[in-house]
Amino acid sequence: MPVGESGPSAVPGAAPGSGTLPVLPALRELLPRGGLARGSVLAVAEFGLLCLALVAGVSADGAWCGIAGIPEAGVLAAVGLGLDAGRTLLVPDPGPAWPQVVASLLDGCELVLLRPPARAPAQVRQRLEATLRRGRGVLLVTGDWPGAQVRLRVVTQRWTGLGDGHGRLRACCAEVVANGRGEAAMTRTRWLWLPAENGGVAVADPRDLPADFPFDVPAGLPFTQASPALRAVSNG
Amino acid sequence: MVVSCPGLCCPDGRPRDPGDFGDFGDSGDFGHLEAARLLERVIAVVTGFCPKVEVVEPGVCAFGARGPARYFGGETALAARIIAAVADLVVESRVGVADGLFAALLAARGASPASAASPGRAADSSSAILVVPPGGTAQFLAAQPVSVLADQDLAGLLKRLGLGKLGEFAALPARDVASRFGDAGEYAHRLARGLDPRSLAARPPPADLSVAQEFDPPESRAEPVVFAAKALAEQLHAGLAARGLTCVCVQVRATWADGRESSRLWRHDGLLSAAGVADRVRWQLDGWRPTPGDGAPSDREADAGQHPEGGIAVLRLSPDLLVRAAGQQLALWGETVVSDRVARAAMRVQAMLGHEAVLRPVIGGGRDFADQVTPIPFGEKTEPRLAADQPWPGRVIGPAPSLVYPAAHEAEVTDDAGEIVTVSGRCMVSAAPARLAMPGEPPRRVTGWAGPWPLSERWWDPAAARRRARFQLATDDGRAWLAVVQDGRWLIEAAYW
């Protein structure tokens, strides 16, 4: 399967600066500075492999990461993407005092992935954002967070490899949309193998998509207009 | 002076005279642990009269009587007081006084037991006291049979030689005894002559290294308590350093005015500064703070005075597991070094939510995705529950699911006709799955499926045996699921998206 591994050379002018935490190469193009800006909040619409991929990229660089409020987080999948399980703290149930728990975790970890157990009042959000700016960490929230600098969303996804009673799950092609505020205001859309057949995350080429891919993507994206005859992919 | 409690001695199986028990307790067969606890209380009582007490053997303790006897007005008066005090614990005791430990032990053994161990009859205790006058020890010993010697082989030999009394043995020249009977004989000879082979090894009572501060009136705000904790920690460290010691753990115990206690052990390893100890006190108190209703981090001042406990009355820091202060050496190789910063953060969360709330995942083996990750509470040894280097046939290969539900979700998988899809004992599927419905969610159309993959685990253990058939299902919303059929029910164990 010709999967385009996005190396550093494929990312134009996105050398991660010191003010960012690194992400997996295939995700760099989605983020304004090619990484997670320290002291910022990112929101991912729903918990899934995209969240784990973001955590794994930071952890693979040697940073400590915390995962709070997500008891079902698939650590094994994250380890497959590069997460260092030895540098991960899990707080499955942060309880009603979750803002304090998250603030404490941010003291020790570079990145905290959080699903707030309850809707966060504006005051609580501002306090946590202030803690973030002091500590230079990154908070990755699943769900809605009004002050998030970057929002990521998986719009469409499709698994390959399953037939009618045969095969097995092999890879998932997903369209990820990023937008946000400030330098992230421009909407970026990328097709990714999430995960790719080799277990990593890779940039997907539209021509690799399965022939029966449901194209319910919003019209107007360059990719759909220019889509040539799609080539079927054999999934052995 | 020797105090002997016949009811508490000889737990090692030496024959006990049933009469010795008197009316101690209700029966003679109390457990050793109970006896040890009671003995500890007896020792504590005796320590009240003289701090330097040596426990000679179970149920018997000895101390130098000269000083305390002068203070309490004579050896007999002191002994009577001790017997009365020990009788308060419903333990009968006898007291022997002599110039040496051996003679005093014999004197205590020779004193007839106090007739009844009841506090009201302490006046009768004079029969339980035997005082050998100063200088009379040799004479007292001379009348004892040689069988009182601990070395029964030697005692038998002496008896066969016609030496029935200790006095006759003591009359032998020391040089001849040494050449004929060796070291053991010389030792026994010294005992028989009333010479102590060694002086009493009475140790001073252990110093109390814990430090405490009382708050009067009880302090309801955290700040003053934490501030006091810093001073207490400095005091504790100074006390330890003066003795060349350090502690592995420090116990922080806060007592509220209503009597409730919060006690927690914190890892110390001699590495914590006073401020570090104070931090831990703060976290511990934070953990006990009632959580505000909106879940917001509230000002300490804001909810001061709202403590239903009424404030902290006593704060005590106790060093636990004392070791000699020998410096610290980190391992050259080993597990991921947990930096101070991370450890502080994790312990702080543990203080708020409990030890089990902060986990470190350890990757191991297993057939289920849930089994392959062992969550270990932070600070404990990280070891997977199931070994990773085993083959684990039957595990699902391919990408790992991004969601592994701690408790599998109930689901219904139906075919085109709306019937529940079943799996036969021969692992045949009744029909192709067409719909996946989970409670509270709209049903999804199944676009692709694979299975059933049978898995029969631990059939030899009825409690842990499981027979399951696993499926991977892809649904029209682009997601995929790992479903199992167990006992005719469909469960969603994990999800991929």
Side-chain angles (χ1 to χ4, degrees), chain A residues 153-180:
Chain A
R153 192 159 54 95
V154 175
V155 186
T156 323
Q157 61 184 348
R158 175 70 195 265
W159 279 89
T160 67
L162 277 188
D164 190 19
H166 57 85
R168 65 169 173 85
L169 293 174
R170 289 182 179 274
C172 180
C173 190
E175 184 193 21
V176 181
V177 175
N179 58 12

Side-chain angles (χ1 to χ4, degrees), chain B residues 53-382:
Chain B
V53 174
E54 178 189 335
V55 179
V56 180
E57 56 183 57
V60 179
C61 61
F63 56 92
R66 191 176 301 155
R70 201 180 304 153
Y71 180 80
F72 286 102
E75 284 153 354
T76 314
L78 170 62
R81 276 167 176 265
I82 289 177
I83 287 174
V86 173
D88 281 345
L89 303 174
V90 204
V91 175
E92 63 157 337
S93 57
R94 312 171 201 169
V95 175
V97 185
D99 284 346
L101 177 62
F102 179 64
L105 273 171
L106 289 181
R109 213 178 288 174
S112 61
S115 50
S118 70
R121 301 180 63 177
D124 295 344
S125 63
S126 56
S127 65
I129 304 167
L130 183 58
V131 178
V132 179
T137 300
Q139 198 185 338
F140 168 72
L141 285 174
Q144 301 286 331
V146 288
S147 58
V148 299
L149 288 172
D151 189 345
Q152 288 302 309
D153 289 345
L154 181 67
L157 180 59
L158 292 176
K159 214 174 255 173
R160 287 200 298 281
L161 289 172
L163 301 171
K165 302 272 179 204
L166 277 186
E168 295 162 12
F169 179 46
L172 298 177
R175 207 165 21 149
D176 295 348
V177 169
S179 62
R180 173 68 180 79
F181 300 107
D183 282 347
E186 195 181 2
Y187 176 79
H189 192 247
R190 283 180 63 83
L191 289 181
R193 282 186 295 157
L195 303 174
D196 251 353
R198 62 173 181 87
S199 58
L200 273 186
R203 283 188 308 174
D208 184 6
L209 291 172
S210 69
V211 290
Q213 171 140 9
E214 288 184 25
F215 297 93
D216 191 17
E219 185 55 66
S220 57
R221 288 171 308 149
E223 255 70 23
V225 179
V226 174
F227 187 75
K230 194 162 168 242
L232 280 180
E234 274 164 8
Q235 209 179 320
L236 176 83
H237 289 164
L240 288 174
R243 290 166 177 82
L245 297 172
T246 184
C247 59
V248 175
C249 297
V250 60
Q251 186 190 42
V252 177
R253 179 186 295 240
T255 311
W256 270 264
D258 64 356
R260 285 213 291 163
E261 273 193 348
S262 150
S263 176
R264 189 159 275 160
L265 273 179
W266 296 95
R267 195 87 185 166
H268 191 292
D269 283 334
L271 297 174
L272 286 189
S273 63
V277 174
D279 270 353
R280 276 144 187 83
V281 172
R282 180 195 295 278
W283 303 341
Q284 187 172 334
L285 298 184
D286 276 354
W288 269 61
R289 179 180 305 281
T291 44
D294 61 351
S298 58
D299 280 329
R300 289 196 170 76
E301 291 77 14
D303 61 352
Q306 290 177 6
H307 283 283
E309 302 90 358
I312 289 165
V314 183
L315 179 71
R316 177 177 289 275
L317 307 182
S318 316
D320 201 41
L321 291 178
L322 293 177
V323 291
R324 200 164 292 285
Q328 290 287 326
Q329 175 69 55
L330 292 178
L332 276 178
W333 295 278
E335 297 171 10
T336 311
V337 175
V338 179
S339 72
D340 252 9
R341 199 170 63 107
V342 176
R344 272 170 68 104
M347 285 195 289
R348 188 162 181 187
V349 177
Q350 281 180 327
M352 280 187 253
L353 303 176
H355 182 64
E356 307 275 320
V358 183
L359 305 165
R360 292 178 75 185
V362 182
I363 307 298
R367 295 186 179 85
D368 280 339
F369 287 109
D371 287 345
Q372 292 176 39
V373 178
T374 311
I376 309 261
F378 185 87
E380 287 184 13
K381 192 170 156 59
T382 53

